[in-house]
Amino acid sequence: MSIILTVLKVIRANAVPEGKQYGIDTCSPKVKLEMELSARQISNACCRLEKMGYLKHQLYSDGSVKPGHYWFIDLDQQANKIGLKKEICVRPITIRDRAWCLLRIRQSASVNELLATLMDADSVMRGAENNLNKYFVNLRGAGYVVEQRRTAALKKSDKQYFLTRNTGPLAPILKCAKGQVYDQNKGVHYDITQ
């Protein structure tokens, strides 16, 4: 589990209700012990979570920042309160989500390269390969990736895909029945053209 997810999980479990908000002291010995991270790692993760909207610094009455003290903002709960669709709320991380994140980092990759990086010994390779091939064909149709022209040296399974529409960290979701790809980052549906 990544450091940010570890910190978020501990914060979510230890946030204390203070009026209508939930407060967390990341400097408390109990929280530090549960996170099993250095103070710098906790601080860096909290900065990232603040940028993502999960945390907000607590302030003293004079307006200065309370070090290590945050208000926890449960985005999943807020999304449910205002009636956002489930497709925007947090869902389990899939092989497609992981492949999207890796493609955003590398900017280009083949399905086999992604599988070699993402799969562990217990995973079912064939199902995952078919899953990602279908995903990338549809992403190509929606304009997220382009396929490198095949040369004699490339096999069919080694097609290189180049990222052309990097809309954010959340992976696009296929809506095959509608012939669309839903972009979770922008909240927009793109038609799949073959």
Side-chain angles (χ1 to χ4, degrees):
M1 188 183 301
S2 76
I3 291 174
I4 294 173
L5 291 177
T6 301
V7 170
L8 182 60
K9 182 180 174 186
V10 172
I11 286 174
R12 189 176 264 156
N14 290 289
V16 178
E18 297 177 24
K20 291 185 177 182
Q21 297 180 315
Y22 287 84
I24 185 73
D25 175 9
T26 59
C27 299
S28 75
K30 179 186 176 204
V31 171
K32 280 185 172 180
L33 185 66
E34 277 190 49
M35 290 187 194
E36 298 177 349
L37 299 169
S38 70
R40 181 174 294 262
Q41 288 174 315
I42 293 169
S43 174
N44 289 344
C46 287
C47 286
R48 292 285 305 275
L49 288 169
E50 190 174 15
K51 287 178 184 173
M52 294 165 69
Y54 281 97
L55 297 178
K56 184 178 178 188
H57 265 291
Q58 290 184 14
L59 304 175
Y60 289 111
S61 57
D62 66 355
S64 60
V65 172
K66 271 187 179 177
H69 289 75
Y70 295 92
W71 295 116
F72 172 61
I73 301 156
D74 194 340
L75 296 179
D76 305 337
Q77 199 172 47
Q78 283 184 348
N80 290 336
K81 278 183 187 175
I82 61 174
L84 290 177
K85 294 180 182 176
K86 278 192 167 192
E87 61 192 4
I88 297 174
C89 298
V90 175
R91 58 187 178 78
I93 296 174
T94 65
I95 188 81
R96 292 176 177 183
D97 297 321
R98 294 168 58 203
W100 173 257
C101 289
L102 189 55
L103 184 65
R104 287 185 67 232
I105 292 167
R106 296 180 66 179
Q107 297 297 307
S108 73
S110 71
V111 169
N112 285 342
E113 290 171 344
L114 293 171
L115 286 172
T117 306
L118 297 174
M119 301 302 283
D120 57 11
D122 299 332
S123 299
V124 180
M125 183 73 163
R126 179 135 176 88
E129 184 177 353
N130 291 341
N131 185 343
L132 286 184
N133 276 324
K134 177 181 177 184
Y135 187 59
F136 278 97
V137 165
N138 285 297
L139 287 183
R140 185 190 68 213
Y144 282 92
V145 296
V146 292
E147 186 180 308
Q148 179 184 13
R149 224 179 280 168
R150 241 185 282 157
T151 62
L154 286 177
K155 296 183 232 170
K156 184 178 179 182
S157 60
D158 287 332
K159 294 179 197 172
Q160 280 292 118
Y161 292 98
F162 294 91
L163 186 62
T164 56
R165 185 185 291 160
N166 186 354
T167 57
L170 300 174
I173 299 173
L174 296 185
K175 303 283 184 182
C176 292
K178 295 180 181 179
Q180 295 179 328
V181 172
Y182 176 71
D183 190 320
Q184 301 181 78
N185 301 293
K186 292 186 172 184
V188 176
H189 288 87
Y190 294 100
D191 290 327
I192 299 171
T193 57
Q194 298 299 332

